[in-house]
Amino acid sequence: MEINSESQDDHLDTIELFESADVSTGAPLNKAAQSVDGLTHTSFNNHSDSDNYITDKKKENTNVDVFDNDDDDEHENHHSLPMYPPLDAYTSATTGQKRLSSIRQSLCGKSCALRMFLVLTLCSALIVCSIAFISTNRKGALSKKSPWWPSVEWATLPAVNQSLYSLAFGSCSDQTLPMTYWDTLSTLHPDITILMGDNVYGECDDSSCETLVDASKYRNSPLKEAYDTLASDPSFQRARANLPMIATLDNHDYGRIDANENNPMKDEAKEMFLDFFAVPSNDERRRLNDGVYTSYEWGPEGQKIQAILLDVRYFHSEFKPTDEPGAPLKEKYIPDNDPKKRFLSQKQWKLLEQSLARPANVRLVISSIQVMADGHGFECWRMIPHERTKLYNLLQPTLAKTRTIILSGDRHVGGFYKHETEDLYEVTASSWTHTIPYGKFDDCSDAQECDEIDPRRMDDFVRVNHFGVIHLDWDNREMFVGFKRVETVAVNEDGNANFEKLLQPHVFSIP
């Protein structure tokens, strides 16, 4: 059960005690501190509001370093052409050697040798280019060996039997806006960082989508350019080399706004995602024909934590359009009781069921869009009610033995939700880069006026750029969950970084 608000205060001092890290070295906190260290998504009224806000932010931040990865500018470096020595160099040779030299000159000479070398070199180059052209024109030709992105290695994930003490999670990062959160994460150094979708904003419009479908034009697609910009960011480069990360995707990195099963770019976007995150060629996700879902497990017995990443884009059915645009609870979509509608493929449901059957002390179910939220008419599991009920029914038998929390993003707000009858919680963390403040699109100035009404939400929305954090205190069987501001680092005279208390801290027991 969750500890009540009065008893939460008893734990905040404990959190403050350990909220420091060594900035000079960027080293991870020790395990005692990691369990309660200072680690650590605000709401668009609609997607057009989101796009407007992003445009405003881009105008404020025009100095964007775009990564240039034009493979066409790469050429082979040929060695200097070999030159034969003059005839007098052979004067000291034997008669046979002189005769051989004479034959060589009579048959070819210098100019002939040079022409032969150039012909052979050109033929070899043509063969190599032909093979490359055929390979890159195959549909979904990206692979781990693809030259699209720099070969900076990603940090290795923890061993399966390693205890975890800290995790960070977040969503919605526009790569054209300042990405200071990567530096904050690098200083905090969580054991695992979970990227919950919209990791880049690379959706295409009708005029540019063909560049994503045509593999030969990948380099010109908005999604490819978005990944290029992220890959070139120095803060991201440092983070991916030092922070173990796991990821799923949402609509902006699936190539289309509100992408669903009808997205014609979904296979190409999937392959680009897998290639960007250096997913090995033998990984099951490379063979899946229904998404990028997967699961992970870490920790010894008694400290087992499981992370299940869903793909709610690849197979989900088209939502039912609203009959009253802009109305509360009907802003864009309305619930659809058509039994044929779905969120996940049968194969993904089966894998989820199998994963839930495995023992775990802490289980994180990651959905890129909200599951519990009932207070709005935008994308969420509420729009296909029978699929959400199916998810609840699968989770319910496991709740007594496993602390289960759903993690979600997409909304550009942060918030906690609790199921009305089950010991089940959801934490929405969004956005890394462009959370919407009070009054941005509505004539309101505080939570009472601005926040949507939802009986399941536990607190006011968080309306600053933020990410979620989890601290695991295995000794006391407690789990601290809250939010951190993206810009939180302040350095003391001793070179240590201090971090403010968690925003909206909640403490949960671990069975």
Side-chain angles (χ1 to χ4, degrees), residues 245-264:
M245 301 182 198
I246 59 177
T248 189
L249 39 62
D250 200 35
N251 59 336
H252 289 284
D253 36 13
Y254 234 151
R256 278 271 186 157
I257 295 292
D258 293 4
N260 54 50
E261 65 179 349
N262 299 319
N263 175 19

Side-chain angles (χ1 to χ4, degrees), residues 136-436:
T136 55
N137 275 277
R138 289 182 303 159
K139 181 179 179 181
L142 295 178
S143 69
K144 188 179 180 182
K145 295 182 179 180
S146 169
W148 295 126
W149 292 284
S151 58
V152 178
E153 292 189 8
W154 292 75
T156 303
L157 293 177
V160 294
N161 61 347
Q162 179 178 328
S163 297
L164 302 188
Y165 295 88
S166 58
L167 299 92
F169 57 95
S171 69
C172 304
S173 174
D174 185 341
Q175 71 284 346
T176 66
L177 299 176
M179 294 183 284
T180 57
Y181 65 91
W182 290 117
D183 291 325
T184 303
L185 287 170
S186 293
T187 302
L188 294 168
H189 212 290
D191 296 327
I192 291 290
T193 298
I194 306 173
L195 307 181
M196 303 189 298
D198 291 342
N199 308 311
V200 294
Y201 277 58
E203 70 276 5
C204 57
D205 55 31
D206 292 338
S207 62
S208 63
C209 285
E210 65 180 30
T211 63
L212 185 56
V213 175
D214 186 347
S216 67
K217 298 180 181 179
Y218 273 155
R219 69 183 69 248
N220 301 317
S221 73
L223 185 54
K224 169 62 169 55
E225 293 173 358
Y227 279 125
D228 284 350
T229 303
L230 176 58
S232 68
D233 183 79
S235 297
F236 171 71
Q237 291 174 354
R238 289 190 294 270
R240 77 174 184 177
N242 294 285
L243 300 179
M245 301 182 198
I246 59 177
T248 189
L249 39 62
D250 200 35
N251 59 336
H252 289 284
D253 36 13
Y254 234 151
R256 278 271 186 157
I257 295 292
D258 293 4
N260 54 50
E261 65 179 349
N262 299 319
N263 175 19
M265 284 71 63
K266 62 184 182 180
D267 290 321
E268 288 75 21
K270 170 196 166 186
E271 291 304 314
M272 201 175 290
F273 168 88
L274 295 175
D275 195 67
F276 182 80
F277 286 99
V279 174
S281 59
N282 61 348
D283 190 281
E284 179 65 23
R285 285 169 291 177
R286 291 284 187 184
R287 299 187 292 273
L288 291 175
N289 61 358
D290 57 347
V292 297
Y293 54 89
T294 191
S295 63
Y296 300 87
E297 294 179 6
W298 296 279
E301 186 175 353
Q303 298 182 6
K304 287 190 175 296
I305 182 169
Q306 182 187 55
I308 302 173
L309 291 99
L310 303 177
D311 184 332
V312 300
R313 288 291 172 186
Y314 195 97
F315 248 80
H316 101 61
S317 302
E318 187 173 357
F319 290 138
K320 186 175 183 179
T322 182
D323 56 0
E324 195 176 349
L329 302 180
K330 292 184 172 185
E331 289 89 345
K332 192 171 185 178
Y333 304 109
I334 55 177
D336 191 345
N337 292 310
D338 182 349
K340 295 181 180 179
K341 293 294 181 72
R342 61 191 177 184
F343 261 118
L344 312 181
S345 67
Q346 291 185 356
K347 188 186 299 183
Q348 187 172 179
W349 277 117
K350 182 177 181 179
L351 179 64
L352 175 59
E353 186 174 3
Q354 292 173 345
S355 298
L356 294 176
R358 298 179 62 83
N361 302 102
V362 174
R363 176 175 288 121
L364 306 175
V365 180
I366 296 95
S367 168
S368 62
I369 62 176
Q370 290 183 309
V371 176
M372 290 190 188
D374 277 342
H376 63 83
F378 300 110
E379 290 192 300
C380 61
W381 282 67
R382 168 177 171 262
M383 296 305 159
I384 309 181
H386 59 276
E387 287 283 273
R388 184 167 70 166
T389 299
K390 183 175 181 177
L391 178 61
Y392 287 154
N393 290 342
L394 282 178
L395 293 173
Q396 195 278 332
T398 71
L399 300 179
K401 295 182 178 181
T402 303
R403 168 57 63 198
T404 300
I405 295 183
I406 298 170
L407 305 181
S408 60
D410 181 62
R411 289 299 314 287
H412 299 263
V413 292
F416 277 82
Y417 296 78
K418 185 185 184 305
H419 194 276
E420 59 272 21
T421 61
E422 302 293 345
D423 189 20
L424 178 64
Y425 296 83
E426 178 175 352
V427 187
T428 298
S430 169
S431 152
W432 297 105
T433 60
H434 51 296
T435 300
I436 302 301

